[in-house]
Amino acid sequence: MKRFIYISNILFILLTTTIFTSCVDDFLDKEPYGTSSFWTTPAEAELGINAAYQPFYEEEFYGRGQFWLETADDDMIVNNSGKTTTINLTSFISTTNDDGYSRSYWEYSYRIIRRSNDVLRNVPNMSMDQNLKNRILGEANFMLGLTYFQLARRHGGLPFGDKENPLDYNKPRETLTETYNRIEAYLLEATHLLTEWNSNNGENAGRATLGAAWGTLAKVYCYWGKYDKAKDACEKVINSGQFDLLDDYAKAFSLEYEKSPEHIFYVNNKAERHHGTITSIVHLSQKLTDGGGWKYFAPTKSLSDAFEPEDTRRSVTLAGIRETVRLLNTDVLLTADNISDMGTGFMCMKYASPYQKLSSYDWETGLDIPILRYSDILLLHAEAIIVLGGGGPDPGKRNTGVAAAAESFNKVRLRAFKQDQSKYIAAPTFMDLVNERRCELAFEEQRHADLVRWGLAKEVYAAATTATDPRGPRTFDPAKHNYFMLPQREIDISNGLLINNPEPGYSTFE
């Protein structure tokens, strides 16, 4: 962990908070107080937790950073041959992790962790309204649980600092089980402190909520293989009555419906430079947009082929040669010439809906970036029921239908087909679930991690062909590749405490 992430001087927090409060809207648009006696007023406590959200807005976090290692999946590629370190890492041929994007993601994650720990260390002893204190402490616990979970999905067992002694940060990795025990504890504490199920309206839009805490716990339990607990956590969210699917998949990625009951937790953006993320622009063809697009990532034909005919999610997710898209109030036919810089012949459209009406290719469109959607919870609920009902990723269980999973599963599926009842699956199988998650959640940080946790990555990546993925078949060894190596710089500055590929307990549950 880089030294500057752990600077203890409160001025660092306040300076970054000053920047942050000028960069995002609503609850973050508040002026910081002075530096002489911080952590003494309720307003300063709020500034402290607000600072924990700031790294989400960095380009290498939820701007484009969430996509670099996601290109390890079979849905998209790094669309720039010059990004060799990322390409080698996600092709599973690197022996060290020298990837700068991976390191930046790690660094921003530990900024969130440090700032959240500052809240937990200082706010409990402050004199303030108990409801406000509980909300701030609940958010800090949630941010710790979520951030460690995101890192654990990528790297396995993690190092944990001591919140009471923030300068004592150089710690060895803990096992995967120990890591998940800590994550669970943070999120459970958040569920005890938070009271609002969603924050989609008003000045607190975008804050962590009770729904986000239970929803993230549901994901944690599925990754952990604790499906009884996963089912219960999902049902907490479902039975709250606070969340629902929009009637049209496209609306979930539109400015008009971005703060809907479908969005449980998200990056709350403004359509202004440095007031949001650059997610929308990084996927578009540079040639098609006259230099506006960044062409960093390109969808694969494998992903395109995964969608059934008439699945409305496909046109929202991607478009290819001989297809028409709407950009800058104009219908544009994609051709081998005007998207020649997209190495697969496909372009991601999932975050591009604002450009349908905009007059130029602005970097920050204002579109919120979803981190957890209700459809994800419904599919996790279906997954838990399928596994508990005898289905699963093992070859002998993959095609076992489980009728009890039909309700949650088909709520998601039928929306994609405009409620066409002929698409209803009465007893979904595990493989039905695998493809449904792929089509529903493409480009949302799910596919590679899903394949890894199910034990399917080796099989799926080996089956690729150059016709469906320009990388062709890739050799994935679960013992080596289930988790990405730690960033080499973090290993170097740890004086030998951090190591790659340690004992199996760091990459497998005990």
Side-chain angles (χ1 to χ4, degrees), residues 148-181:
Y148 276 123
F149 176 55
Q150 290 174 323
L151 283 173
R153 292 197 307 172
R154 290 183 170 212
H155 298 292
L158 299 170
F160 287 80
D162 180 359
K163 79 172 188 294
E164 299 301 334
N165 188 5
L167 293 182
D168 184 19
Y169 57 81
N170 195 22
K171 300 288 188 179
R173 297 172 71 174
E174 299 193 9
T175 67
L176 195 61
T177 299
E178 290 168 338
T179 296
Y180 270 66
N181 279 331

Side-chain angles (χ1 to χ4, degrees), residues 55-170:
F56 282 132
Y57 295 85
E58 298 289 347
E59 289 190 7
E60 298 310 340
F61 206 58
Y62 276 93
R64 58 186 174 183
Q66 73 270 38
F67 298 112
W68 290 112
L69 293 189
E70 286 305 302
T71 58
D73 66 22
D74 53 346
D75 285 353
M76 60 180 172
I77 65 167
V78 175
N79 192 48
N80 185 328
S81 60
K83 307 293 185 182
T84 54
T85 55
T86 308
I87 292 170
N88 289 341
L89 189 62
T90 55
S91 296
F92 317 116
I93 60 178
S94 296
T95 56
T96 58
N97 181 359
D98 293 312
D99 181 57
Y101 302 117
S102 177
R103 184 176 70 246
S104 294
Y105 191 97
W106 177 280
E107 291 171 355
Y108 288 128
S109 295
Y110 275 98
R111 286 188 187 179
I112 294 173
I113 289 165
R114 170 57 196 273
R115 296 174 191 181
S116 298
N117 274 329
D118 284 340
V119 171
L120 295 188
R121 186 174 65 256
N122 290 285
V123 171
N125 295 323
M126 293 178 65
S127 177
M128 59 192 297
D129 176 78
Q130 191 63 47
N131 290 331
L132 176 60
K133 179 184 286 190
N134 287 348
R135 192 259 288 167
I136 290 172
L137 293 174
E139 288 181 47
N141 276 283
F142 171 80
M143 295 294 276
L144 286 164
L146 173 68
T147 306
Y148 276 123
F149 176 55
Q150 290 174 323
L151 283 173
R153 292 197 307 172
R154 290 183 170 212
H155 298 292
L158 299 170
F160 287 80
D162 180 359
K163 79 172 188 294
E164 299 301 334
N165 188 5
L167 293 182
D168 184 19
Y169 57 81
N170 195 22

Side-chain angles (χ1 to χ4, degrees), residues 4 6 43 47 94 99 130 180 244 252 275 312 362 397 476:
F4 70 85
Y6 293 90
L47 286 175
S94 296
D99 181 57
Q130 191 63 47
Y180 270 66
D244 201 359
H275 288 227
T312 60
D362 301 332
K397 298 180 177 181
F476 182 93

Side-chain angles (χ1 to χ4, degrees), residues 21 28 34 42 50 66 68 110 114 116 145 173 178 191 245 258 263 286 342 398 412 426 436 440 476 482 490:
T21 54
L28 300 172
N50 289 355
Q66 73 270 38
W68 290 112
Y110 275 98
R114 170 57 196 273
S116 298
R173 297 172 71 174
E178 290 168 338
T191 67
L245 297 180
E258 61 185 2
H263 298 96
Q286 190 172 51
M342 303 305 293
R398 293 180 184 179
V412 177
E436 204 64 34
E440 177 70 23
F476 182 93
N482 268 359
E490 304 305 321

Side-chain angles (χ1 to χ4, degrees), residues 32-62:
Y33 284 68
T35 62
S36 60
S37 58
F38 201 70
W39 302 115
T40 60
T41 69
E44 289 170 348
E46 287 207 70
L47 286 175
I49 189 59
N50 289 355
Y53 289 85
Q54 182 271 333
F56 282 132
Y57 295 85
E58 298 289 347
E59 289 190 7
E60 298 310 340
F61 206 58
Y62 276 93

Side-chain angles (χ1 to χ4, degrees), residues 255-309:
L255 290 169
E256 294 80 3
Y257 293 91
E258 61 185 2
K259 292 176 175 63
S260 75
E262 179 159 343
H263 298 96
I264 300 176
F265 189 65
Y266 51 89
V267 181
N268 188 20
N269 282 325
K270 267 189 177 181
E272 299 175 25
R273 183 69 181 125
H274 301 304
H275 288 227
T277 65
I278 58 169
T279 306
S280 293
I281 197 66
V282 299
H283 298 279
L284 297 187
S285 162
Q286 190 172 51
K287 185 169 185 180
L288 180 72
T289 59
D290 294 324
W294 294 18
K295 68 177 183 64
Y296 278 4
F297 311 102
T300 61
K301 185 175 185 296
S302 174
L303 174 60
S304 177
D305 292 346
F307 293 94
E308 300 170 51

